Every structure is written in C-alpha cells, then in structure tokens.
Amino acid sequence: MEAAAAKPVFQVAAVCGSLRKASFHRGLIRYAIQLCEGGSVDGLRVEFVPIEPLPLLNTDLEVGGKYPPPVETFRRKVLESDAVLFACPEYNYSFSAPLKNAIDWASRPPNVWADKPAAIVSTGGGFGGGRAQYHLRQLGVFLDLHFINKPEFFLNAFQPPAKFDEEGNLIDKEAKEKLKQVLLSLQAFTLRLKAKP
C-alpha cells in the first residue's frame, strides 16, 4: 500500500495594522502562530511580518526599479507567502494608516498581493472592527486579493468577560475556537486555489 501524500504546508504572512506591541491585534496574531506551532492547525505556518520599518509611501524613494530596503523585505515576505492574515484595527470607520501604507507599498509594480488568498480578523468596541474589515475587502477587489467569506471574526474586546490579558494575549475560549476556524477556512481556501491550473 502506498504511503499517503504529505499534507502541504502553507506559509501565511500575518500583517498587523496596529503598531502597539501589546495591542489586541498583535495578540490575535500571536495566538494564530501558537495554534499552528502547537499542531492545532496542521499544515499552516504563520509568520508575523512587521510594518513598522516601512517609510511613508513616496515614489521618489523608488530608485532604479528598487524600493527602500525595508520595503523590499516586506514585499518579499508577502510574495513568498501562500496566503495572508490581516489583523485589522478600526479607526474612524476604516482601517489604520500604517496598514494602508503597507498595502500601498506592496501593491507597487509588480503587485505582490495578486492572487493571494487572505483572511481578516479584528477586535475593538461595538462592531469589533467590522467596518474596517469591509473597507479592506473593497481594496481586495483592485489588489486581486481573494478573501475567505466565512467565518467572519469580529470580537468586541470590551464586553465582559475579558477577552485579553494585560499583555494583550487572547484568553477567551470562544474567540480562540473561532480564530482556529478562520485559519482552517483559510487553509482550505488556499488549497483550493493552489489546485486550480
């Protein structure tokens, strides 16, 4: 009997729209990494890809077809990934300026977002970042990003019981399970897209 084919391992670039080290959005990414490293989501490898080093978008910084070193590094990480996980905070009914800056740099020619499967998670008050997610999905149309539709992950961080500890780590059991389902959905979607000729 032939051995079963090895399950593919997909590399996921995790991009956080908040720059605070103890932000809840960083906490969501940390837990996603733990799920994959701990074997709860087998076949995904999540890597946090920082956006703090990126300069503000300025095409004058593009010299001889090259981008500034931090931009080149960020673009390479996205290009080499199989999928993208966005942790998307909401500011004024939209996503954050640092995230928009990162998105714009990676969309410069050639657009390294193109044909990537992606998922979005967010947390905050009220709708839990839902408006920002829908705005980000609009950009996905032009960027040729393919977002999973379900499950959606909007987490009200301020409604009891506590969802995060003092260091910004996710502690809510229900939210942990929902985040796991998002990763499993992203994995299945990535597999489907990769299988297409």
Side-chain angles (χ1 to χ4, degrees):
M1 178 183 261
E2 291 183 19
K7 189 174 186 178
V9 176
F10 296 126
Q11 184 71 27
V12 179
V15 179
C16 182
S18 175
L19 303 184
R20 293 190 316 108
K21 286 184 172 53
S23 81
F24 293 160
H25 289 86
R26 292 256 186 132
L28 294 176
I29 289 177
R30 278 194 301 275
Y31 189 68
I33 291 170
Q34 290 171 23
L35 280 170
C36 296
E37 289 180 347
S40 294
V41 180
D42 190 30
L44 284 187
R45 184 178 299 116
V46 178
E47 179 185 0
F48 173 66
V49 181
I51 63 175
E52 293 90 333
L54 299 175
L56 288 176
L57 182 71
N58 179 353
T59 54
D60 288 345
L61 299 177
E62 301 173 22
V63 180
K66 296 285 187 184
Y67 297 98
V71 176
E72 291 281 4
T73 299
F74 179 75
R75 288 173 54 85
R76 188 184 72 253
K77 289 286 188 182
V78 173
L79 182 63
E80 292 173 351
S81 69
D82 297 298
V84 183
L85 175 66
F86 291 97
C88 180
E90 181 176 315
Y91 299 143
N92 302 318
Y93 281 20
S94 187
F95 48 85
S96 68
L99 181 55
K100 180 64 164 65
N101 187 56
I103 288 169
D104 289 346
W105 270 124
S107 73
R108 297 293 297 157
N111 171 23
V112 296
W113 301 115
D115 287 327
K116 300 283 184 191
I120 316 171
V121 294
S122 63
T123 184
F127 192 7
R131 295 179 188 89
Q133 285 201 30
Y134 292 146
H135 198 181
L136 181 54
R137 285 178 178 272
Q138 284 182 291
L139 268 69
V141 175
F142 182 76
L143 298 171
D144 210 15
L145 272 165
H146 308 297
F147 287 105
I148 64 168
N149 290 323
K150 298 276 171 48
E152 294 178 303
F153 187 102
F154 313 122
L155 180 62
N156 187 322
F158 308 111
Q159 189 175 35
K163 308 299 189 298
F164 298 87
D165 65 18
E166 292 178 358
E167 283 78 43
N169 297 306
L170 184 64
I171 58 173
D172 182 76
K173 187 175 180 181
E174 185 178 336
K176 286 181 172 183
E177 178 58 29
K178 197 165 185 181
L179 181 51
K180 178 181 175 181
Q181 295 307 314
V182 168
L183 293 174
L184 290 171
S185 179
L186 178 60
Q187 179 184 36
F189 190 43
T190 303
L191 189 60
R192 277 169 46 206
L193 290 182
K194 293 279 187 186
K196 289 184 177 180

